[in-house]
Amino acid sequence: MQALRPLLLALSLATAPIAFAAPSHSLDQYELKPERAPQGQLVNYVKSNLDGSKRLVLSLYFAKPFEVEALKVEGDGRYIARVQAKLDPQTLTATWMRSFNGLENGPGKERLQMQMDGKPERLTASVAGTQMPVAPSHLPAHVYNFDLSSLNLTLPLLKNPRADFEVGVIDPDFAAMRARFKPNAGMMEGIFIDKGKASFRYLRDEELDGVPTHRFEVGGPAFGGVTGSLWVNAKDRLIERFEHALPDNPDWKSFKLSRMSERAMDATAWEAFKAASVQRAMGLVEAE
């Protein structure tokens, strides 16, 4: 199932004695206070193309400050992937991630494990035994292919929810991966890349389907100059909707993220939620 191939990254501090330029940053726009970060909360989204086609349900669980776990359910519940991420609280950049897909085949067959442990000055994405280094040019840095899940962790930390802001974007070069990637190939440059800054320009406050939001125009070098829109929930300051013509995965033609629901949830309830989703998927697959 191509659509649920979450990027498997293992970010680690490179050991090679290579000097990298210090990234620029806009960290002074944030209050690095754990109590401001989302926690004990489940937020459900629908991810699709802009026209609503190719839908999947993305459930984000914010267990504690600077941590998020994403459960992706596609094919009417048949296919499931899971990604966990932790941010470095000083740079608000994910330096630890794990990913699994194929959960519909049973918890004992979780695949595509990903481990990240590093510093944002020099990150290495590891896939199938091949290391792909990247040096983010701006912090905080986010992986667009992660469906803006790590951005969601940082939005409530902005000092001014109506101010313009910038983030860095790092992502796989999918064309290069298709053309050049080989497993167990050692270090491969130019496959996991820095895409530069993404800019978020505050436009106005507006109601979106009856929900008070702050609306931003999204653009900048990271998006190749193409603009989109971000609506941030004015109450909890998480993403309410995101729309952009540039997809975050080549299996989509564009990218739309629409919030469906949210509720408080503890860790025990989240484990039960995941288990029920997996059991349903296993039953659907077995019935085919």
Side-chain angles (χ1 to χ4, degrees):
M1 176 193 51
Q2 291 185 346
L4 284 182
R5 290 179 181 170
L7 178 64
L8 304 187
L9 307 177
L11 298 189
S12 59
L13 178 63
T15 57
I18 302 175
F20 293 92
S24 61
H25 72 83
S26 50
L27 294 167
D28 55 346
Q29 290 187 282
Y30 299 83
E31 290 185 297
L32 305 182
K33 296 180 178 180
E35 63 271 19
R36 292 279 304 278
Q39 52 189 305
Q41 184 176 3
L42 171 70
V43 183
N44 296 306
Y45 294 91
V46 171
K47 176 184 177 178
S48 69
N49 290 313
L50 288 174
D51 63 5
S53 61
K54 198 170 177 62
R55 294 160 59 93
L56 67 77
V57 175
L58 174 67
S59 297
L60 299 183
Y61 178 59
F62 303 98
K64 58 184 68 174
F66 312 121
E67 295 186 19
V68 63
E69 185 170 7
L71 191 71
K72 300 183 181 185
V73 181
E74 192 180 1
D76 296 325
R78 285 174 173 78
Y79 311 118
I80 301 184
R82 178 166 64 94
V83 184
Q84 298 169 291
K86 298 179 183 179
L87 301 190
D88 168 19
Q90 299 305 311
T91 62
L92 300 180
T93 297
T95 54
W96 184 93
M97 296 179 74
R98 297 181 69 191
S99 175
F100 307 83
N101 75 351
L103 273 71
E104 66 275 5
N105 295 313
K109 296 182 180 180
E110 292 179 335
R111 296 192 295 261
L112 302 177
Q113 182 171 339
M114 141 178 106
Q115 195 80 25
M116 298 197 303
D117 181 14
K119 294 183 178 179
E121 293 85 356
R122 169 70 166 177
L123 302 174
T124 301
S126 297
V127 178
T130 296
Q131 290 75 50
M132 297 170 289
V134 59
S137 61
H138 188 82
L139 301 176
H142 299 284
V143 180
Y144 189 48
N145 184 243
F146 189 27
D147 303 320
L148 300 179
S149 299
S150 62
L151 178 69
N152 237 342
L153 282 171
T154 63
L155 290 172
L157 304 178
L158 285 165
K159 294 176 182 177
N160 183 350
R162 295 180 176 89
D164 299 352
F165 66 98
E166 293 179 321
V167 303
V169 174
I170 53 177
D171 233 8
D173 182 329
F174 290 102
M177 289 191 74
R178 287 192 297 268
R180 297 172 44 213
F181 179 82
K182 296 179 180 179
N184 302 308
M187 192 73 68
M188 296 189 71
E189 302 276 352
I191 294 182
F192 197 75
I193 60 173
D194 171 68
K195 301 187 75 171
K197 294 179 183 178
S199 60
F200 296 79
R201 184 171 67 89
Y202 173 73
L203 297 178
R204 58 187 174 271
D205 283 9
E206 68 179 35
E207 284 199 357
L208 181 68
D209 298 330
V211 177
T213 67
H214 309 307
R215 182 172 180 174
F216 292 82
E217 180 186 80
V218 183
F223 293 105
V226 180
T227 59
S229 296
L230 168 69
W231 291 264
V232 178
N233 186 293
K235 182 177 180 181
D236 62 17
R237 294 166 64 176
L238 298 176
I239 294 172
E240 191 67 25
R241 184 179 296 172
F242 179 84
E243 295 182 352
H244 207 285
L246 183 69
D248 73 334
N249 184 300
D251 290 327
W252 276 261
K253 297 178 181 179
S254 51
F255 184 23
K256 182 177 181 179
L257 197 64
S258 302
R259 186 163 168 173
M260 292 192 301
S261 63
E262 64 284 324
R263 61 186 169 110
M265 179 173 281
D266 61 22
T268 300
W270 171 242
E271 292 301 320
F273 179 90
K274 290 189 295 181
S277 298
V278 170
Q279 285 299 117
R280 180 173 183 270
M282 291 174 65
L284 291 171
V285 171
E286 289 174 0
E288 291 179 342

